Amino acid sequence: MNSSQLIAFLPVICIAASAVIVMLTIAIRRHFALTCLVAGLGVLVSLLALMAAGRQSPVYVTSLVRVDAYGLFAMALLLLAGLVVIVFCYDYFKDREGEKEELLFLVLTALLGGCVLVTASHFATFFIGLETLSVSLFVMVGYELGQSRPLEAATKYLVLSGVSSALLLMGMALIYSECGQLSFSGIEQYLAEQEIFNAMVLTGIVFIVAGVGFKLSLAPFHMWTPDVYEGAPAPVTAFIATVSKGAVFLLLLRFFLSAGYSYASVMTVITVMAVMSILFGNVLALLQDNVKRMLAYSSIAHMGYLLIAFIAGGGIESDFVVEAVIFYLVAYFMTTLGAFGVVSLLSTPQAEAVELSSYRGLFWRRPGLATVFTLMLLSLAGIPLTAGFIGKFYIFAVGADAQLWGMLLMLIIGSGLGLYYYLRVIVVMSISQESGNYPGREAALGRMSLAALVLLTLLLVWLGVDPIHLMSLIHGV
């Protein structure tokens, strides 16, 4: 590895070093606030290292990792989301009993896995990054000891994630047995030279799509999502919904843009998954009285929307597809982090604010927090003047460019259904305080989490009103 490659790989090295420093800090002195501070500084240093790496890109760090504008932007997105989650973790766990410091170490190792994943150019780094991310998440989901629901969620996630890893490995093995290649560029070259249908490669790609479908909770592989979202602590749920899913989706897009959209039958499978995700996600979200489960089903639908842009990549310029996917992911990250941030702030060590009844009269008890939650929900619904609207407009534009009229009809139907259950939460929050029956003790609001929520809200509105700056930034990816 030469100096150029070393500098390009510096963000990943920094986040790995941060995890080691956090581990040593815990060994020397257990202090939750200090551990959060060290972890946060580690993420900030990794973000600064992205600027140095940007001057060396695009460059291959061996044949395993490709550091380019796409990977750097993706890493920046994951690291910023990780930083917000660390802030939420501090306020959420500081008053809880037990040893909490190791959670920050797990957040950093999960971020390390995500950063490796989005720069992967080889099946080896694909799998290593995915497993580093997943193994950290198993423990984070079940981190609160002595409670049955987190343990059940962690067990379910562990078992189903193991199945998805087995499918991924099987798919990689089948492709390697035919191509003799594990690098994305090698597979692309092999497929370009093939003139006939190759059943082995096709089966391998289908296995990989199924394995990734589990990680993205795409229907029909979505069964774990509501239980894991409900059982995990609120900041961890925010991490799963953003960093974990975003990293996997960005990797999937990079793989297909590298290896090509060679097989129409694979696109048919992905199209069916997208339609099922939009329908199942939205219809099942309508039936929920639990806010975390509603957001879980909603996230399934959002992954379905993103697949529309992904499918369009087979027929139009890849630059437009990348632009649409990244903008939508940025908007989705902000709104999802904000929504789960509100849930996190309203939760107490005795109970999480998951039931819809907990939000009754919130506009009267906590008007600022209710306003933030309302804006986040409106953005998820795709209402104008929010980043979510611009994101959906991008998906619609890409779909129209690729003439995916059936998929766009599903997008409209899904958005209509989504509007109902998002507005339902807003209506419940606006019910007068006298009519409310909030039974629990009000949580003391953490200042750092509040500051993060205010920042997310301002960005959400700013990108909804004036998105041109982010668009210009994404143009360079």
Side-chain angles (χ1 to χ4, degrees), residues 445-457:
L445 300 185
R447 292 179 182 176
M448 292 182 64
S449 296
L450 272 177
L453 281 178
V454 169
L455 184 61
L456 286 171
T457 307

Side-chain angles (χ1 to χ4, degrees), residues 169-424:
L169 277 176
M170 190 66 194
M172 291 174 186
L174 289 174
I175 291 174
Y176 179 70
S177 70
E178 196 66 23
C179 303
Q181 295 284 343
L182 286 173
S183 68
F184 296 172
S185 57
I187 295 167
E188 176 192 12
Q189 187 177 356
Y190 174 84
L191 293 178
E193 294 169 354
Q194 299 298 305
E195 296 180 355
I196 58 173
F197 171 83
N198 190 315
M200 192 73 84
V201 174
L202 173 64
T203 309
I205 292 176
V206 169
F207 271 113
I208 289 175
V209 169
V212 170
F214 270 109
K215 302 291 183 186
L216 292 173
S217 64
L218 292 167
F221 309 111
H222 63 286
M223 296 80 72
W224 60 271
T225 314
D227 292 337
V228 171
Y229 272 46
E230 185 183 4
V236 175
T237 312
F239 192 91
I240 296 171
T242 54
V243 175
S244 174
K245 288 191 175 184
V248 173
F249 197 93
L250 287 164
L251 181 277
L252 184 69
L253 184 62
R254 183 194 277 276
F255 174 71
F256 270 80
L257 290 177
S258 299
Y261 290 75
S262 304
Y263 296 104
S265 46
V266 174
M267 286 301 107
T268 305
V269 171
I270 295 176
T271 303
V272 172
M273 289 169 71
V275 171
M276 290 174 69
S277 299
I278 293 171
L279 281 180
F280 287 2
N282 282 307
V283 171
L284 293 173
L286 283 173
L287 307 175
Q288 305 304 316
D289 287 326
N290 181 306
V291 172
K292 284 175 87 176
R293 292 182 78 87
M294 184 206 77
L295 290 172
Y297 284 115
S298 153
S299 76
I300 296 169
H302 281 281
M303 289 298 114
Y305 300 150
L306 263 175
L307 277 185
I308 295 175
F310 176 82
I311 294 163
I316 62 173
E317 286 292 324
S318 61
D319 290 349
F320 192 23
V321 173
V322 170
E323 192 178 327
V325 167
I326 289 183
F327 195 101
Y328 195 90
L329 276 178
V330 170
Y332 174 75
F333 269 46
M334 286 193 302
T335 49
T336 304
L337 284 171
F340 282 109
V342 173
V343 176
S344 171
L345 269 176
L346 289 174
S347 299
T348 65
Q350 291 75 36
E352 285 220 337
V354 294
E355 297 299 329
L356 196 55
S357 57
S358 305
Y359 294 81
R360 190 182 294 270
L362 189 65
F363 269 114
W364 308 100
R365 303 197 311 272
R366 297 278 171 79
L369 211 54
T371 304
V372 168
F373 201 26
T374 299
L375 286 170
M376 297 300 166
L377 292 173
L378 291 177
S379 181
L380 283 170
I383 299 299
L385 302 182
T386 63
F389 171 75
I390 306 294
K392 273 195 180 167
F393 183 79
Y394 253 121
I395 298 291
F396 201 91
V398 169
D401 200 17
Q403 300 185 346
L404 300 173
W405 307 117
M407 297 298 294
L408 292 180
L409 179 62
M410 294 308 304
L411 173 66
I412 293 168
I413 294 172
S415 298
L417 292 172
L419 191 59
Y420 174 79
Y421 56 78
Y422 291 129
L423 287 178
R424 182 177 168 223

Side-chain angles (χ1 to χ4, degrees), residues 94-170:
K94 66 181 180 184
D95 296 327
R96 282 169 166 75
E97 294 180 354
E99 296 177 341
K100 305 155 285 192
E101 290 80 5
E102 285 82 357
L103 183 74
L104 282 306
F105 170 73
L106 294 168
V107 170
L108 291 177
T109 53
L111 281 175
L112 174 64
C115 290
V116 171
L117 203 56
V118 295
T119 54
S121 61
H122 193 280
F123 276 153
T125 34
F126 179 173
F127 194 70
I128 290 170
L130 193 62
E131 289 306 296
T132 306
L133 175 64
S134 300
V135 170
S136 304
L137 289 179
F138 302 152
V139 189
M140 288 167 67
V141 170
Y143 197 80
E144 289 192 288
L145 296 174
Q147 296 188 28
S148 58
R149 199 171 286 277
L151 184 62
E152 179 189 340
T155 306
K156 186 170 285 188
Y157 191 50
L158 171 68
V159 172
L160 291 177
S161 190
V163 173
S164 75
S165 297
L167 289 172
L168 277 172
L169 277 176
M170 190 66 194

Side-chain angles (χ1 to χ4, degrees), residues 59-88:
V59 62
Y60 274 97
V61 182
T62 73
S63 60
L64 300 178
V65 170
R66 176 178 166 81
V67 178
D68 52 13
Y70 179 85
L72 290 171
F73 194 97
M75 276 197 281
L77 187 60
L78 300 184
L79 291 171
L80 286 170
L83 192 60
V84 174
V85 169
I86 288 172
V87 170
F88 290 157

Side-chain angles (χ1 to χ4, degrees), residues 356-367 370 425-438 442:
L356 196 55
S357 57
S358 305
Y359 294 81
R360 190 182 294 270
L362 189 65
F363 269 114
W364 308 100
R365 303 197 311 272
R366 297 278 171 79
V425 178
I426 296 170
V427 169
V428 168
M429 286 195 295
S430 65
I431 293 175
S432 68
Q433 197 169 14
E434 288 74 20
S435 306
N437 59 348
Y438 182 68
E442 288 281 19

